[in-house]
Amino acid sequence: MSTTDILLDPANILKGPHQIAFDITNKCNLRCLHCYNNSGDNIVSTNELSDSEVMDFIEDVGKMELFNFCFCGGETLLRKDLICKASSRLKSLGVANISMVTNALLLNERTIMQLKENGVNRIQVSLDGSKADSHDRLRNKKGVFDKAILAINLLKKLDVKCSVAFTPTCFNVDEIEEVHSILSKIGIDGELRVQPLMLLGRADGNESSINVSKMQYRQLVKEINRINNQNTSLEIKWGDPIDHLIRFRTTSSSQCVNHCNVRANGDIVVSAYLPLVVGNLRNHSFSEYWNSGLGKVWENKIPSVIAKTIVCIEDMNKRNDGIPTVWRDKDIYIDMIDKDLNDISNLK
C-alpha cells in the first residue's frame, strides 16, 4: 500500500471509529409515542448482552483511542451499575468523552455523582415541550416533565455537561422558543438538539396523532434560525437523521465510517435507521469487524442498495418490496466477516 493510498483512506490507519453509540439496554420504564426503536417492546430487549459480554466489548474498544463513547437505549439507567463499571474502565483506558442519554426518571443527585465519578461527563435529557401537557403527552406518562426539569437543574448544579433533545410533534412544535428560554435561564453547559420526527418503531403506529406537517417544519426551522441569529449562549443544533444515508451512498470517493452503532444484543448495524446487520459481538469482536473493513463498509454494494430506499424522512417507514423496515420487520443479517456485502444475491 502506498503512502498516497493511506492518506486518501483514513480507514487504513485508524485503530477504530471516532465514536461508538451502544444501546446498553432496550428495556425501558416508559412507552413514548415516538420511540424509533420501540424500546421496551422490541425483540432485542429479550436477548441483551450479559454484563461480562458488555465488559469484554468495553475492553476491546477502549483501546481504540475513541473520541466519544455513548451509552444509549432504552432507558440506560436500568443498567446504571454496569454503566458505572464500564465508564470507569473506559476512563482508565484513556477515553476522554463518555456520554449517555436518559429520560431522567431515575436521575437524582446521588446517581449523577456516581456517574460523574466513574467518568461520564455528558448526559442528554429529553425535553419535548415547554410544559407538562406536551412533554408528558409524548412520553405517555404524567410527571415526566417535572422529572426532566429537575434533572437538568441538578446536572447544572453538579457541573455535568447537559445536552437536551427536543423532538417536534404536531402539538409541541410551536414551543421551541419557550423550551430554549427555559434552558437558557437554567444555563445548561451543552446544546439543544432538534431533528425531525423519525417515523419508525412506535412512531410508525402513532404517525396520525403526532406527525408534523411540512409547513410546521418550515416554521420550526425558520424559528431556530431566528433564535440562533440572536447570538444566544445556547445554540440550537438542527440535525438530519438521513444525511449520512445519502452522503455515504452518493459520494464519489470512499469515506471512512467514524460513527458505529451497536445494539443491546451485540448486533452491529450500518446505520441505526437501516435494517442491515453486518455482524454481532457474539460471533466476532468489534476490533475484528473493524480490521475486516467495517470502517469502509459503505464501499460495498448492499448497504447502498438498501439506503437508496430512503431519500427523505417520509421514506423511513415506507414499505419496499424485498427490503424490510427497521424495527418493524426482520432485519437483513449478513455477517461481513463470513459473507460478501458486495454479493447482491445475499439480499435474498
Side-chain angles (χ1 to χ4, degrees):
M1 182 181 297
S2 68
T3 302
T4 301
D5 290 334
I6 292 176
L7 292 174
L8 290 176
D9 194 349
N12 289 325
I13 56 174
L14 287 177
K15 291 183 178 180
H18 294 141
Q19 303 183 66
I20 291 179
F22 172 49
D23 291 343
I24 194 165
T25 182
N26 274 132
K27 295 181 173 68
C28 195
N29 48 9
L30 290 177
R31 294 295 183 272
C32 301
L33 301 180
H34 68 303
C35 184
Y36 89 96
N37 63 13
N38 209 26
S39 282
D41 296 315
N42 67 40
I43 194 170
V44 171
S45 61
T46 65
N47 189 31
E48 296 183 347
L49 297 176
S50 66
D51 287 12
S52 62
E53 287 174 321
V54 169
M55 290 309 298
D56 287 343
F57 169 51
I58 293 297
E59 195 71 28
D60 183 30
V61 301
K63 299 171 184 176
M64 289 183 165
E65 300 183 9
L66 303 173
F67 174 73
N68 180 62
F69 188 100
C70 182
F71 293 99
C72 307
E75 174 45 46
T76 51
L77 289 177
L78 293 176
R79 297 185 85 173
K80 182 200 71 175
D81 292 343
L82 181 57
I83 288 179
C84 288
K85 183 178 180 181
S87 297
S88 178
R89 184 56 180 147
L90 286 170
K91 182 180 179 181
S92 70
L93 289 168
V95 180
N97 297 294
I98 305 170
S99 56
M100 61 172 283
V101 299
T102 176
N103 61 32
L105 280 182
L106 301 175
L107 202 60
N108 53 42
E109 189 164 341
R110 180 172 179 272
T111 295
I112 293 172
M113 288 307 301
Q114 285 179 305
L115 293 167
K116 182 179 180 180
E117 289 165 2
N118 282 285
V120 176
N121 49 25
R122 182 184 291 271
I123 295 177
Q124 177 178 293
V125 176
S126 292
L127 189 64
D128 300 306
S130 60
K131 52 185 180 294
D133 286 349
S134 48
H135 180 86
D136 292 355
R137 178 177 171 183
L138 186 60
R139 296 285 155 178
N140 210 15
K141 185 173 182 176
K142 291 184 178 181
V144 184
F145 176 82
D146 293 336
K147 288 278 189 179
I149 292 295
L150 175 61
I152 293 168
N153 276 286
L154 284 174
L155 289 168
K156 171 64 178 179
K157 171 186 173 183
L158 300 174
D159 196 28
V160 176
K161 288 186 177 181
C162 173
S163 293
V164 174
F166 172 90
T167 300
T169 64
C170 60
F171 51 81
N172 73 1
V173 68
D174 296 327
E175 298 175 26
I176 186 65
E177 182 180 18
E178 295 173 65
V179 169
H180 182 270
S181 178
I182 290 171
L183 298 175
S184 295
K185 289 177 182 177
I186 294 174
I188 65 168
D189 183 17
E191 60 194 16
L192 174 56
R193 298 175 178 174
V194 184
Q195 69 175 29
L197 177 68
M198 293 177 289
L199 300 174
L200 297 171
R202 208 168 285 124
D204 188 7
N206 292 309
E207 180 178 356
S208 62
S209 60
I210 65 176
N211 202 11
V212 185
S213 70
K214 292 180 180 179
M215 182 57 70
Q216 285 177 314
Y217 272 131
R218 291 191 187 101
Q219 291 300 322
L220 174 62
V221 173
K222 183 178 180 180
E223 184 68 2
I224 289 173
N225 289 333
R226 185 190 67 79
I227 293 170
N228 284 339
N229 286 336
Q230 293 176 343
N231 296 318
T232 63
S233 58
L234 176 62
E235 184 180 4
I236 304 178
K237 290 287 186 69
W238 173 260
D240 183 351
I242 65 169
D243 169 76
H244 66 290
L245 300 180
I246 298 173
R247 177 163 39 87
F248 278 122
R249 70 173 174 79
T250 59
T251 182
S252 57
S253 60
S254 61
Q255 293 192 39
C256 177
V257 173
N258 64 357
H259 182 106
C260 292
N261 296 86
V262 180
R263 292 178 180 168
N265 65 347
D267 280 347
I268 300 172
V269 293
V270 171
S271 165
Y273 312 130
L274 289 183
L276 176 61
V277 178
V278 296
N280 187 282
L281 298 180
R282 287 174 172 146
N283 296 337
H284 306 281
S285 68
F286 186 89
S287 58
E288 286 179 292
Y289 285 109
W290 184 262
N291 293 333
S292 296
L294 181 59
K296 297 185 287 185
V297 70
W298 282 96
E299 293 182 7
N300 297 281
K301 293 178 182 178
I302 289 178
S304 294
V305 167
I306 296 175
K308 284 180 180 178
T309 63
I310 301 176
V311 296
C312 62
I313 293 296
E314 287 82 1
D315 290 340
M316 296 187 87
N317 65 345
K318 186 172 67 178
R319 275 64 174 170
N320 295 285
D321 290 340
I323 304 296
T325 298
V326 66
W327 298 114
R328 183 179 65 220
D329 308 315
K330 186 177 181 180
D331 289 327
I332 297 169
Y333 190 102
I334 304 174
D335 193 300
M336 61 179 294
I337 291 180
D338 303 326
K339 293 185 178 182
D340 186 1
L341 281 171
N342 277 309
D343 186 354
I344 300 298
S345 67
N346 281 325
L347 284 175
K348 300 178 181 179

